[in-house]
Amino acid sequence: MKKAEYEQYVLLSGSVAPKCVCGNLELLDIKKKAPEKIYTYACLHTTGEGAPEADELLRQVQAYHKVGFDGMKLLFGKPELRKAYGVSLCDECYDPMYDFLEQNDIPVLLHSNDPVEFWDKERILKWAIDAGYYCDETYPSHEQIREETIGILKKHPKRNMTIAHIFFLSNSDRYDLAEELLETYPNLTFDLCPGWEMYEGFERDERWRGFIQKYAGRLIYGTDISGSDWEGRIECLRSSLETDAVYMNPDGYRCKGLKLSDEALKKIYRDTYRSVIQPGNPKPIDDKAVKEEYLPIALEWTKRMYPDPAEQEKIKEKLLALVEK
């Protein structure tokens, strides 16, 4: 973060693996090192087997709010999780959670859908097949997941929600829908996290550059970085936003730069988040709430997700060590 020269930044908990029990506490541990710089978004613990429990979702978001998380990262719309849960993304089991988030103006980053070619064996790239992202006929369709997500917006039209990867709309050539959604829902934003395939969509339809210029105040920068090799990713991403150069990224995607105006870049890099999504500074961590509100949830989910007692004890020790720090 220092090398990239970020003044403030958002760290997102969450793996699509439901056993990611320690991720939230690890984020709080990092946040303590620079509490004035770091916003943190918690991720929910779920079984990935059948519909989520409405009361449990509500219990968790209430605890995260008390603890001092700044927002929520929701992964319900990942095709593999949508398939595992077996219920619509706008099912009533999610309503109590969304009602609480809306009442408390808690920002949400929702990953919904995947690139449209992940449903097409002829078009999907090898890296995506190797990662297990191919969606066969047992998965909900790309169109169904998109419509269910719009159903969330219809039920909760004032929701402070960012949909990741520009909702894969440039990838599926849905320019008109992108404009319609931003015009209809005033608290909706999109992030420009790669998904590098979005840039192929931008190049197919030159209207997208005008869209990004026009709606820069509703779009935010993101990197999707979760480990090493971050420098090349940021170099490609910034080049694609700031210049008109053509950049072939390591995954085989062609990224023709948009060469956005300085005004648009300022909004995307900073102002949209600070004015539309999160006007205040990062929330302080409540250590008492961490121990009393969240630790019991993490320990309970450790037992639910790890049947081996020895593994349970190992995770428990890590959780307790994080809380004590």
Side-chain angles (χ1 to χ4, degrees):
M1 299 302 175
K2 289 178 181 176
K3 194 167 182 180
E5 299 182 328
Y6 297 151
E7 293 177 8
Q8 291 180 308
Y9 42 93
V10 181
L11 297 181
L12 306 164
S13 175
S15 160
V16 292
K19 293 185 179 181
C20 189
V21 177
C22 298
N24 292 332
L25 287 175
E26 287 172 339
L27 277 199
L28 293 181
D29 182 46
I30 296 169
K31 185 174 184 175
K32 285 185 176 182
K33 294 175 173 61
E36 75 288 352
K37 289 179 175 287
I38 302 173
Y39 298 89
T40 53
Y41 282 32
C43 197
L44 292 159
H45 304 302
T46 62
T47 63
E49 298 174 1
E53 306 158 29
D55 291 345
E56 177 60 20
L57 297 179
L58 178 60
R59 177 174 76 130
Q60 288 190 44
V61 296
Q62 288 173 333
Y64 299 140
H65 184 53
K66 290 180 182 178
V67 160
F69 282 100
D70 302 284
M72 291 298 305
K73 168 73 179 290
L74 302 182
L75 291 158
F76 302 128
K78 280 291 284 183
E80 59 267 40
L81 290 185
R82 169 59 184 83
K83 175 183 174 181
Y85 294 149
V87 295
S88 168
L89 297 177
C90 52
D91 187 86
E92 62 183 12
C93 70
Y94 298 114
D95 288 345
M97 174 192 70
Y98 280 125
D99 288 342
F100 178 82
L101 293 170
E102 187 168 329
Q103 289 160 10
N104 291 277
D105 196 27
I106 299 169
V108 167
L109 177 66
L110 173 68
H111 180 113
S112 180
N113 243 329
D114 266 345
V116 68
E117 62 261 30
F118 285 10
W119 278 260
D120 186 340
K121 213 166 211 177
E122 300 301 317
R123 295 175 59 200
I124 187 171
L125 295 182
K126 184 179 182 301
W127 73 264
I129 293 176
D130 293 343
Y133 290 152
Y134 172 62
C135 300
D136 62 22
E137 65 279 357
T138 66
Y139 284 73
S141 70
H142 183 89
E143 293 78 10
Q144 180 179 345
I145 293 175
R146 183 175 62 229
E147 289 306 310
E148 290 178 2
T149 305
I150 295 172
I152 299 172
L153 298 173
K154 289 178 179 178
K155 291 178 78 172
H156 307 275
K158 297 180 181 179
R159 176 89 289 280
N160 180 351
M161 179 179 285
T162 303
I163 302 181
H165 312 298
I166 208 167
F167 200 9
F168 300 101
L169 293 175
S170 71
N171 165 252
S172 53
D173 299 319
R174 295 300 303 267
Y175 174 90
D176 292 337
L177 179 59
E179 194 166 53
E180 178 187 335
L181 290 174
L182 290 185
E183 289 293 336
T184 304
Y185 301 103
N187 296 323
L188 173 66
T189 52
F190 294 138
D191 82 23
L192 294 174
C193 255
W196 298 110
E197 69 285 331
M198 73 170 66
Y199 286 93
E200 295 185 341
F202 294 157
E203 190 173 0
R204 280 195 303 272
D205 186 342
E206 62 184 20
R207 291 181 299 170
W208 282 107
R209 183 183 181 277
F211 173 91
I212 294 170
Q213 288 279 149
K214 178 180 177 180
Y215 293 105
R218 305 281 295 282
L219 303 171
I220 59 171
Y221 170 79
T223 63
D224 217 22
I225 289 168
S226 59
S228 60
D229 197 30
W230 61 269
E231 291 179 86
R233 178 176 287 261
I234 288 179
E235 180 184 359
C236 180
L237 180 57
R238 293 196 60 177
S239 173
S240 298
L241 295 174
E242 297 172 13
T243 79
D244 58 3
V246 174
Y247 202 115
M248 294 299 294
N249 87 337
D251 292 330
Y253 289 105
R254 172 188 165 96
C255 304
K256 185 177 187 300
L258 296 165
K259 200 174 184 180
L260 301 173
S261 68
D262 289 344
E263 180 183 3
L265 289 168
K266 181 172 176 285
K267 291 176 180 177
I268 290 166
Y269 285 150
R270 183 184 68 186
D271 292 353
T272 300
Y273 190 80
R274 292 307 312 272
S275 62
V276 179
I277 299 171
Q278 194 87 254
N281 286 318
K283 290 176 61 177
I285 298 170
D286 185 332
D287 289 319
K288 185 172 183 288
V290 172
K291 291 181 179 180
E292 295 181 0
E293 301 284 343
Y294 179 59
L295 181 59
I297 293 173
L299 292 173
E300 178 185 326
W301 278 90
T302 299
K303 291 182 179 179
R304 291 183 68 170
M305 301 311 301
Y306 292 87
D308 181 7
E311 201 169 12
Q312 286 182 19
E313 192 60 31
K314 185 178 178 180
I315 298 295
K316 179 180 177 180
E317 288 177 6
K318 185 175 180 180
L319 291 169
L320 292 173
L322 286 166
V323 168
E324 290 306 316
K325 287 173 70 175

